[in-house]
Amino acid sequence: MKKLVLLGALALSVLSLPTFADEKPLKIGIEAAYPPFASKAPDGSIVGFDYDIGNALCEEMKVKCVWVEQEFDGLIPALKVRKIDAILSSMSITEDRKKSVDFTNKYYNTPARLVMKAGTPVSDSLAELKGKNIGVQRGSIHERFAREVLAPLGAEIKPYGSQNEIYLDVAAGRLDGTVADATLLDDGFLKTDAGKGFAFVGPAFTDVKYFGDGVGIAVRKGDALKDKINTAITAIRENGKYKQIQDKYFAFDIYGK
C-alpha cells in the first residue's frame, strides 16, 4: 500500500511540473521613457500602450509579468545575459537585430517622421538638413537611419539616452529637430506645451532596410517563448482586448496593414 501511495505521489508531482513551469514569472524588459508607449506616472508606476499590451499577453498566457526597466540600448544585452526573458519596448523588427535575437510577429507598425520648427522647409530630397543638428535616441533604428541617410547629406547627428532628453533640447533650441516614430513624436511632444511651434516636416520614412517590418517582441534565439507570445498576440487581436487597449491611446488602427 505504501508503495502505491508513493507511486501515486510521484505521478502527481510529475503531472504538476508543467503547471509550476507555467507559473514562472515572465521578466519583460522595457524603457519607460517613450510615451505614449511607456512612461512613468506621478506615483512611479509604468503606464502606456506597450505596458498594457504586455500585461494582456501575460494574462492570456497565464503567467505573471515582472517588468524590468532598462535604457533602450541595454535591452538586447540584458536579454542575452538572461536578466530578462523578453523585450517589449517598441523595438522594430530589423534584419540587423534578427542576427542577435528572435522576434515575434508585429504588434504595431507606424512610420518614422522628422519634427522641426513649424514652417521649416524640408523637401523629399532632405537637402535642407545640411548643417542641422538632429537628435536621435542612442541604439535605435532612427539613429542608424540618421547616420546612414541624413549624415551624408550634411546633418549633424546627436545621440541621446532617451527621447525625453531630446525633446528638452529641441524645445530649448539646442537641437534643430529629431527623427523618431511618428506616433511617439505626436503624443509625446507635438501635443504637449513644449511642442508648441513645432511640426512634422518632410516625408514619412518607411524604408524596410531601416524601419523593418513593424514592431515586435524580442526573445532569445531559439526560445519557444516566441511561439507562445505569437499565439497570445493572435488571441488578444481576436477577442477584442487589443482594440480595447489601442482605443485607450490612439484614434486610429496602430496595428497597420
Side-chain angles (χ1 to χ4, degrees):
M1 179 61 72
K2 288 183 179 179
K3 288 182 178 179
L4 288 174
V5 171
L6 180 59
L7 288 172
L10 287 171
L12 285 172
S13 67
V14 170
L15 288 172
S16 66
L17 284 176
T19 302
F20 287 129
D22 289 345
E23 290 176 356
K24 182 181 178 182
L26 182 64
K27 294 178 290 184
I28 304 178
I30 191 169
E31 184 202 37
Y34 205 67
F37 298 99
S39 59
K40 286 295 194 68
D43 65 0
S45 61
I46 304 174
V47 295
F49 178 77
D50 281 351
Y51 180 72
D52 287 355
I53 288 292
N55 286 329
L57 292 173
C58 285
E59 183 180 351
E60 183 66 34
M61 293 187 291
K62 295 179 173 55
V63 296
K64 179 184 178 182
C65 275
V66 175
W67 293 91
V68 180
E69 290 185 60
Q70 180 86 45
E71 284 199 356
F72 191 82
D73 60 354
L75 285 169
I76 289 179
L79 180 66
K80 287 185 171 182
V81 299
R82 298 180 178 272
K83 181 180 178 181
I84 55 178
D85 303 309
I87 299 169
L88 204 167
S89 193
S90 290
M91 183 169 282
S92 295
I93 304 166
T94 66
E95 291 303 316
D96 189 52
R97 286 177 178 151
K98 284 180 184 178
K99 296 173 184 176
S100 300
V101 300
D102 282 347
F103 278 100
T104 65
N105 298 334
K106 72 169 184 176
Y107 66 96
Y108 81 84
N109 192 9
T110 54
R113 293 295 304 270
L114 177 67
V115 160
M116 300 179 74
K117 279 283 189 182
T120 302
V122 178
S123 63
D124 288 351
S125 73
L126 306 175
E128 296 86 351
L129 296 183
K130 184 176 181 179
K132 302 295 185 183
N133 292 313
I134 305 298
V136 290
Q137 185 169 9
R138 186 180 299 112
S140 69
I141 56 173
H142 306 99
E143 179 182 18
R144 182 189 171 206
F145 169 76
R147 291 193 183 282
E148 294 186 11
V149 177
L150 305 186
L153 297 173
E156 297 292 332
I157 309 306
K158 308 292 184 181
Y160 284 73
S162 77
Q163 196 66 36
N164 286 339
E165 295 174 51
I166 296 173
Y167 296 153
L168 291 174
D169 278 5
V170 169
R174 290 185 286 269
L175 288 172
D176 296 299
T178 179
V179 173
D181 177 86
T183 306
L184 167 78
L185 291 170
D186 191 34
D187 283 74
F189 185 60
L190 295 180
K191 291 180 179 176
T192 69
D193 289 340
K196 289 180 179 177
F198 293 89
F200 289 126
V201 299
F205 305 121
T206 58
D207 190 337
V208 172
K209 175 182 177 181
Y210 298 104
F211 304 108
D213 300 307
V215 171
I217 300 165
V219 299
R220 283 183 288 277
K221 281 284 190 182
D223 196 331
L225 178 61
K226 180 180 79 169
D227 293 333
K228 293 180 180 179
I229 296 176
N230 278 336
T231 299
I233 291 172
T234 299
I236 66 171
R237 290 275 299 159
E238 291 178 348
N239 66 21
K241 186 65 177 178
Y242 182 95
K243 188 175 188 307
Q244 180 184 338
I245 295 170
Q246 170 191 274
D247 292 350
K248 179 179 174 183
Y249 296 96
F250 312 110
F252 60 93
D253 177 13
I254 194 171
Y255 187 77
K257 297 179 180 179

